[in-house]
Amino acid sequence: MTTTTPITAPVQAPDDRRSTGTHAGRTKSELLSLYLAISPFYILFAIFGLFPIGFSLYLSFQNWDGIGPMKFVGLAQYQFMLSDPIFWKSIVNTFQIWFISTIPMLFFALVIAFMLNQQIRGRSAYRIAYFIPNVTSIVAIAIIFGSIFSNNFGLLNAALEGMHLDTVEWLNTPWGIKIAIAAMVIWRWTGYNAIIYLAGLQAIPTELYEAARVDGASLWQVFFRITVPLLRPIILFTVITSTIGGMQLFTEPQVLVGNGGGPGSEGSTMVLYLYQQAFINNQFGYGAAIGWGLFVIMILFSLINWRLVQGAGNRGSRKGVRA
């Protein structure tokens, strides 16, 4: 008995050219609509982001008072900037304020986050309370701190008098001005960084803490042996962001000690000096050069911080492995 295989008619392949052309046309129209949908962002970014950056670089090679014609001066603005003693003083002031504010701020933020991560009542209320200073008007904060650190009628000097101690002219002495500015920075940004650390703490497995408690580790041993090493990437992030923010201090010293930076320009930061030269003295070309000098300093300092934190973390990891 033989079987016959049914003969089927060959299936006609679709016209590739017609289908491909139709698909390509449909894709182009869809892509065009998508590009049109996202184009407002790129247009606004080009107008308010890229153009000011490019124009500031062009302006740094010009001498311009904001009204008259521009005069090309080449690298003269940068040469004067490198020989300007007030510019270098503003750099020193900025680094000093950054040092006495950022290190205590990040340490307090880490401790607060560690405590908020414990099983305590009202944790949500504490988190909101610590974050409120970050959303408060910085001008209002500066006015309040100005009344606290006032030379004659400040609350801090009143407390010193109550303890029969000598008063301090906080806003007339070099370190008094820097401490007042640093206190504002610490008060405003500690809660913000604590919330970031808290998010990192919640990603750490609870089994590690339970094992440490079983082994009899104290609270501080758990903090320094488990929490800090595992939060190294988060700490690196906050160090970089705090460095960038510290290099851009402007509102705090301006409201507290004025556009000139107070007596002897002791409170003049790099951004405040940029504002003074560009918008007070109408030296827009020199102000643009200061802005680009600030950009280079921020990159270098951020890289140094990154290397230091990474190196410390790697050394701590090697010690932990050996242990």
Side-chain angles (χ1 to χ4, degrees):
M1 181 176 180
T2 60
T3 57
T4 58
T5 303
I7 301 175
T8 57
V11 180
Q12 184 177 3
D15 190 351
D16 293 338
R17 291 182 302 172
R18 182 173 55 190
S19 61
T20 304
T22 305
H23 179 71
R26 189 186 306 118
T27 303
K28 289 180 180 179
S29 61
E30 291 176 353
L31 290 177
L32 180 60
S33 62
L34 293 175
Y35 286 138
L36 290 176
I38 64 175
S39 61
F41 166 78
Y42 291 99
I43 294 174
L44 293 176
F45 177 72
I47 296 174
F48 298 103
L50 294 179
F51 174 74
I53 293 174
F55 183 72
S56 66
L57 181 61
Y58 170 77
L59 191 60
S60 65
F61 300 102
Q62 310 289 329
N63 185 13
W64 188 46
D65 60 359
I67 299 176
M70 296 184 184
K71 181 181 178 181
F72 179 77
V73 293
L75 297 175
Q77 304 284 14
Y78 293 97
Q79 293 174 352
F80 178 76
M81 180 182 67
L82 295 176
S83 61
D84 185 3
I86 305 299
F87 171 73
W88 290 106
K89 186 177 183 62
S90 68
I91 295 177
V92 174
N93 293 338
T94 303
F95 278 99
Q96 290 175 341
I97 295 172
W98 175 87
F99 182 80
I100 62 178
S101 63
T102 301
I103 296 177
M105 175 187 67
L106 295 182
F107 177 75
F108 292 150
L110 190 56
V111 173
I112 291 171
F114 181 74
M115 300 303 294
L116 290 178
N117 197 41
Q118 307 301 314
Q119 297 297 329
I120 58 175
R121 298 179 59 182
R123 286 187 300 174
S124 299
Y126 285 116
R127 294 171 185 177
I128 295 173
Y130 281 116
F131 191 75
I132 283 177
N134 185 252
V135 297
T136 306
S137 172
I138 185 60
V139 177
I141 295 173
I143 293 174
I144 293 174
F145 274 84
S147 64
I148 294 174
F149 288 94
S150 177
N151 297 324
N152 298 322
F153 307 103
L155 297 178
L156 193 56
N157 278 336
L160 293 176
E161 289 180 352
M163 293 184 291
H164 303 287
L165 298 175
D166 295 334
T167 59
V168 179
E169 292 188 355
W170 296 99
L171 302 182
N172 284 338
T173 57
W175 282 104
I177 294 174
K178 294 178 177 63
I179 291 174
I181 298 173
M184 284 192 292
V185 175
I186 294 172
W187 187 83
R188 185 185 182 195
W189 293 102
T190 298
Y192 171 82
N193 289 285
I195 297 299
I196 296 178
Y197 287 147
L198 182 60
L201 286 173
Q202 292 175 348
I204 298 177
T206 57
E207 292 81 4
L208 296 176
Y209 293 110
E210 294 173 356
R213 294 189 185 97
V214 171
D215 291 338
S218 64
L219 190 64
W220 286 107
Q221 286 176 333
V222 172
F223 177 74
F224 285 106
R225 299 294 179 87
I226 296 178
T227 302
V228 174
L230 293 179
L231 279 182
R232 185 167 57 87
I234 309 297
I235 295 174
L236 176 60
F237 169 78
T238 55
V239 168
I240 298 300
T241 55
S242 299
T243 298
I244 295 174
M247 297 296 103
Q248 295 177 343
L249 276 180
F250 169 70
T251 308
E252 292 90 341
Q254 187 204 29
V255 178
L256 193 63
V257 294
N259 294 326
S265 300
E266 294 295 337
S268 179
T269 60
M270 288 185 287
V271 177
L272 182 59
Y273 186 59
L274 184 157
Y275 174 82
Q276 178 188 8
Q277 293 298 317
F279 298 99
I280 303 300
N281 298 336
N282 294 326
Q283 297 291 334
F284 288 96
Y286 186 48
I290 295 175
W292 281 97
L294 172 61
F295 173 72
V296 174
I297 292 173
M298 288 172 57
I299 291 179
L300 294 177
F301 196 53
S302 298
L303 290 175
I304 292 172
N305 280 332
W306 180 78
R307 295 286 296 178
L308 290 176
V309 175
Q310 285 285 86
N314 292 334
R315 288 192 297 269
S317 300
R318 288 194 294 267
K319 290 180 180 178
V321 171
R322 288 196 297 269

